[in-house]
Amino acid sequence: MNQAPFSPGNPYSSVRVPVFARNGVSTSHPLGAQAGLRMLWAGGNAVDAAIAAAAVMTIVEPVSNGLGSDAFCILWDGAQLHGLNASGRAPQGWTPEYFEKRYGKQAKPPRRGVDSITVPGAVSAWVALHERFGKLPFASLMEPAAEIAERGYLVPPVVQQKWAAGAPELQAQPGFAQSFLPSGRAPAVGELFRFPAAARALRAIGATQGKAFYEGEIAEAITSFVQQHGGCLSMADMAANQAEWVTPVAKDYRGYTLHEIPPGGQGIAAQIALGILSNFDLASLPLDGVASQHLQIEAMKLAFADVDRYVADAGMEVTPEQMLDDAYLASRAKLIDPQRAQDFKAGNPVQGGTIYLTAVDESGMMVSFIQSNFAGFGSGVVEPSFGISLQNRGFGFSADPDGPNRANLVGPGKRPFHTIIPAFLTQDGQPVMSFGVMGGNMQPQGHMQTLVRMIDYGQSPQAACDAPRWRYNAGLALNVEAGMNPATVAGLQALGHQLEVIDDPYQDFGAGQFIWRMGDPAVEGYQFASDPRRDGLAAGF
């Protein structure tokens, strides 16, 4: 890996150039990256940097994540790959009958409010990572975030856009206006926002190694607040939370291996799509042309059809191995018609609101980390004394006991289907790239599209980030970025794709960070690429 397998050129307009370094942190806000670098300068490693950056991101991008988020991680420790599932579980009181009584027959958890809140898992991810791999004192990792929350930061444009968009829907949710509308409105671009309640929480989390959050004063405040407003989250639910070390699911693609957290997340969708595409000679087709884009779109549709039908946290009818079987995926590839778009159904494998960050250090440690409240600001419910913005992951459950994916039926202590997915690429068992893309169901689509560009077409990570993307929604419906070649757009429409051209890339096409290992990190280092869809985030003090 002393020489990257891609061309250094970039055919797309970009405001960024690749960065090369032996140590680094890549986030969507500069204050997050600064916090991580501060830990590296203090003698910490990539895990310390990732935790400190993740804590800061809960403060500077509250529209996307918070102390009440879930999180996942894939980590190369210098010799081995590890996966961490820190998604929280449903309260013990959540049964189909509970929701039917409150909301009607076959009702699932609502999108907002106290009945969308599952146990937050992000803090348990920080604790688990630190206990196994961290070097610096845990409290010191919380301090940069606590300082920023206390002194405030200037709200950047993209964050302000989402803040203002969410305020009308969420302002009546318990604690939201008190915490996030300090002047009775969303902050303006460049306006100072302070969050002293969150600073108090961060220092309590740091001083107790997370115990205050799950067993102590913060847990008591969260559960009391939720119950006061009609929810059933309990101290027992909080105390039972445990992050889980898992083995990432692997899928080979043209000499590389893509690793994703196993279900109940949607990372397997990217692996299914790539497995289908391995049956086509993509490199022989023009990269930004109709034929290549059509094959990728159809492969992604087939992947989502199976994910929607089968993926759940536990009790799946099929295994990930069956879903990724080469023969099965070859049979799915045969369903693609090069001349027309289709609306695919699930196959039968038995027969055959998010932030992402990544950190690396010169010892070779690489961390791929993601945390999210799900929808913007999550449930909208914010415990005000500690500033805990609680996620709405419960909305990911199914409510139909006779539906096609019964394994994802809401139930006590279950974990819902998850959208957030960190990713990792290896070659011959050695680390190549830690990366991730943000944005709901765009995440596996972004994984697939950027990897095809890098692996099949030799584009650099930055060029793959800058390239125009499409986003599959449902049926034959797609969104495409306004920068896509008009001839390609017209060609896809001619094949039957129902396209809407969108000139709002951040909202619809994801954003991400990519770190490609150039060789021995102590000598050659890493190449960093960031997604320009996240530009405009002012640092601000």
Side-chain angles (χ1 to χ4, degrees), residues 249-268:
V249 176
K251 182 61 181 173
D252 294 336
Y253 183 70
R254 308 204 201 280
Y256 292 87
T257 303
L258 172 63
H259 303 265
E260 302 273 2
I261 295 291
Q266 62 174 342
I268 196 171

Side-chain angles (χ1 to χ4, degrees), residues 72-445:
F72 296 86
C73 181
I74 300 178
L75 162 74
W76 178 265
D77 66 4
Q80 184 180 351
L81 205 61
H82 307 268
L84 183 66
N85 180 339
S87 58
R89 298 181 181 274
Q92 286 298 314
W94 278 17
T95 63
E97 294 74 24
Y98 173 87
F99 289 100
E100 181 174 337
K101 182 178 179 180
R102 294 171 75 94
Y103 301 102
K105 187 172 177 59
Q106 291 186 356
K108 62 182 289 181
R111 189 167 185 265
R112 306 288 194 178
V114 292
D115 281 333
S116 67
I117 299 168
T118 52
V119 176
V123 172
S124 71
W126 304 348
V127 172
L129 286 167
H130 180 264
E131 286 179 345
R132 190 164 181 180
F133 297 107
K135 292 175 64 178
L136 299 177
F138 188 71
S140 68
L141 307 183
M142 299 295 104
E143 193 54 31
E147 291 172 1
I148 293 167
E150 216 163 44
R151 73 172 184 254
Y153 63 95
L154 305 183
V155 176
V158 173
V159 171
Q160 194 278 337
Q161 176 189 352
K162 295 186 72 178
W163 205 317
E169 178 188 1
L170 300 173
Q171 59 189 350
Q173 290 293 342
F176 184 85
Q178 181 178 345
S179 299
F180 291 122
L181 306 177
S183 301
R185 55 167 175 77
V189 172
E191 186 172 351
L192 185 71
F193 177 74
R194 293 189 176 96
F195 205 179
R200 180 179 173 222
L202 286 157
R203 291 199 170 106
I205 291 166
T208 63
Q209 197 83 5
K211 285 188 169 64
F213 193 89
Y214 292 105
E215 302 172 25
E217 58 181 337
I218 300 176
E220 291 175 358
I222 292 171
T223 55
S224 174
F225 191 73
V226 169
Q227 291 174 22
Q228 174 189 338
H229 292 280
C232 66
L233 186 69
S234 70
M235 285 290 288
D237 294 324
M238 294 290 290
N241 178 79
Q242 187 73 44
E244 178 185 2
W245 291 101
V246 297
T247 301
V249 176
K251 182 61 181 173
D252 294 336
Y253 183 70
R254 308 204 201 280
Y256 292 87
T257 303
L258 172 63
H259 303 265
E260 302 273 2
I261 295 291
Q266 62 174 342
I268 196 171
Q271 296 171 309
I272 292 171
L274 289 172
I276 291 170
L277 290 174
S278 67
N279 293 278
F280 299 92
D281 184 10
L282 285 184
S284 67
L285 304 172
L287 167 58
D288 291 308
V290 175
S292 177
Q293 297 301 310
H294 173 70
L295 289 175
Q296 293 175 59
I297 291 166
E298 297 298 278
M300 202 73 242
K301 289 182 187 177
L302 286 161
F304 273 130
D306 278 1
V307 166
D308 292 344
R309 170 64 180 84
Y310 295 111
V311 167
D313 180 65
M316 286 172 51
E317 296 177 32
V318 299
T319 66
E321 291 74 21
Q322 289 171 320
M323 296 178 75
L324 294 173
D325 178 74
D326 287 337
Y328 171 66
L329 296 182
S331 73
R332 297 291 276 169
K334 292 177 182 177
L335 299 176
I336 296 178
D337 185 340
Q339 301 304 317
R340 69 183 179 98
Q342 299 180 73
D343 182 7
F344 297 105
K345 306 304 179 187
N348 184 3
V350 176
Q351 294 179 349
T354 302
I355 68 95
Y356 173 81
L357 62 89
T358 175
V360 296
D361 63 38
E362 61 184 352
S363 75
M365 182 175 282
M366 302 177 70
V367 180
S368 180
F369 186 92
I370 198 163
Q371 66 187 19
S372 172
N373 270 354
F374 196 20
F377 286 110
S379 66
V381 178
V382 187
E383 193 291 309
S385 64
F386 288 102
I388 310 298
S389 175
L390 294 159
Q391 64 186 20
N392 63 330
R393 282 291 166 188
F395 187 66
F397 279 119
S398 166
D400 184 359
D402 300 316
N405 192 355
R406 293 180 291 276
N408 192 42
L409 183 68
V410 64
K414 293 181 69 173
R415 293 186 293 205
F417 173 81
H418 248 278
T419 57
I420 57 173
I421 50 171
F424 206 98
L425 193 70
T426 62
Q427 186 177 43
D428 300 325
Q430 295 301 305
V432 173
M433 182 171 65
S434 55
F435 71 104
V437 174
M438 298 164 270
N441 73 348
M442 183 64 211
Q443 294 178 56
Q445 301 187 59

Side-chain angles (χ1 to χ4, degrees), residues 40-63:
L40 291 171
W41 294 332
N45 60 20
V47 163
D48 296 316
I51 295 169
V56 168
M57 296 306 294
T58 68
I59 305 302
V60 298
E61 287 196 30
V63 296

